[in-house]
Amino acid sequence: MAPPTPDTMTATHAIQPIIIIKESAYIVKGYIGKYTEGINDFWMYRERNNSVIDSIVIHDNLIQYIMDSLEWIPSKNPSLQGTPSGRGINYHGETLFDIHSSETLISIFSSWKSLIKNAPDKFELTGEFVYSEADNQEGDYKKSVFNRDEVITQFEKIILMSEALAKGEFYLYHFGI
């Protein structure tokens, strides 16, 4: 099977130079002990972990497109001592969302979902500026093609996960690149 091209790429493919990038989020019941200890075990065995209720993967290019709005979400950084509170996602690490994050998560992803409903079946988003490999003088904006219904389904799942956060019994873990 041939690798996807920009014309055939959907939200399930990641086309990146050298590295394939995906964003992952897991909703879990209860806080998984001292988060900074055993994160590798949690990541490796997440599919068999009884605390993991559900998960979702969202294409990195889509995360980058909506990144500014994600910076408004109350969050915690479990990679730092004391798991300090902050805002937004830890793009290159882990982020913890809890009951305090739920309302903003629901609002942001509901808004994006409403906007995406107006897109054609396959739609293109403009990403970062990329210089050509031949020289650093020319380049173009990276284009990513997504399937509208897949993106809406992903956003609906994040909304459902966020509604579970509002109950105060669950946490949403984001694993960045």
Side-chain angles (χ1 to χ4, degrees):
M1 183 169 169
T5 66
D7 293 334
T8 63
M9 188 174 74
T10 68
T12 58
H13 296 102
I15 296 180
Q16 297 284 331
I18 304 169
I19 300 171
I20 295 176
I21 302 170
K22 291 185 178 180
E23 299 284 332
S24 302
Y26 296 86
I27 190 157
V28 298
K29 185 167 179 71
Y31 189 67
I32 300 176
K34 288 184 121 187
Y35 191 81
T36 55
E37 296 175 10
I39 187 59
N40 289 335
D41 287 341
F42 173 75
W43 179 250
M44 287 175 49
Y45 303 111
R46 67 193 176 278
E47 310 243 336
R48 294 185 299 221
N49 188 324
N50 291 336
S51 296
V52 176
I53 307 300
D54 205 351
S55 65
I56 187 166
V57 175
I58 298 177
H59 193 282
D60 184 62
N61 291 349
L62 186 55
I63 292 293
Q64 287 181 352
Y65 193 82
I66 66 171
M67 180 66 90
D68 289 341
S69 62
L70 300 180
E71 295 301 317
W72 308 330
I73 305 167
S75 62
K76 295 182 180 183
N77 187 341
S79 298
L80 299 178
Q81 186 173 5
T83 313
S85 295
R87 293 199 166 273
I89 65 170
N90 186 356
Y91 185 73
H92 296 284
E94 300 87 33
T95 312
L96 174 66
F97 299 107
D98 61 14
I99 190 171
H100 304 292
S101 313
S102 63
E103 185 178 331
T104 308
L105 276 164
I106 292 167
S107 178
I108 288 172
F109 279 94
S110 294
S111 296
W112 279 109
K113 177 184 148 193
S114 293
L115 182 65
I116 301 290
K117 280 183 176 180
N118 296 296
D121 291 345
K122 299 277 185 199
F123 65 98
E124 185 177 89
L125 296 176
T126 303
E128 63 189 356
F129 189 82
V130 180
Y131 289 99
S132 68
E133 291 183 23
D135 60 34
N136 286 337
Q137 301 298 319
E138 295 183 27
D140 203 357
Y141 288 94
K142 186 190 308 186
K143 305 288 185 179
S144 296
V145 177
F146 295 95
N147 177 298
R148 179 195 61 218
D149 295 336
E150 287 178 12
V151 171
I152 288 172
T153 299
Q154 291 170 348
F155 287 0
E156 286 173 341
K157 192 167 185 179
I158 289 286
I159 293 165
L160 288 173
M161 289 177 166
S162 302
E163 289 169 349
L165 290 181
K167 297 175 184 174
E169 299 174 13
F170 299 93
Y171 293 89
L172 182 63
Y173 290 100
H174 160 261
F175 294 93
I177 60 172

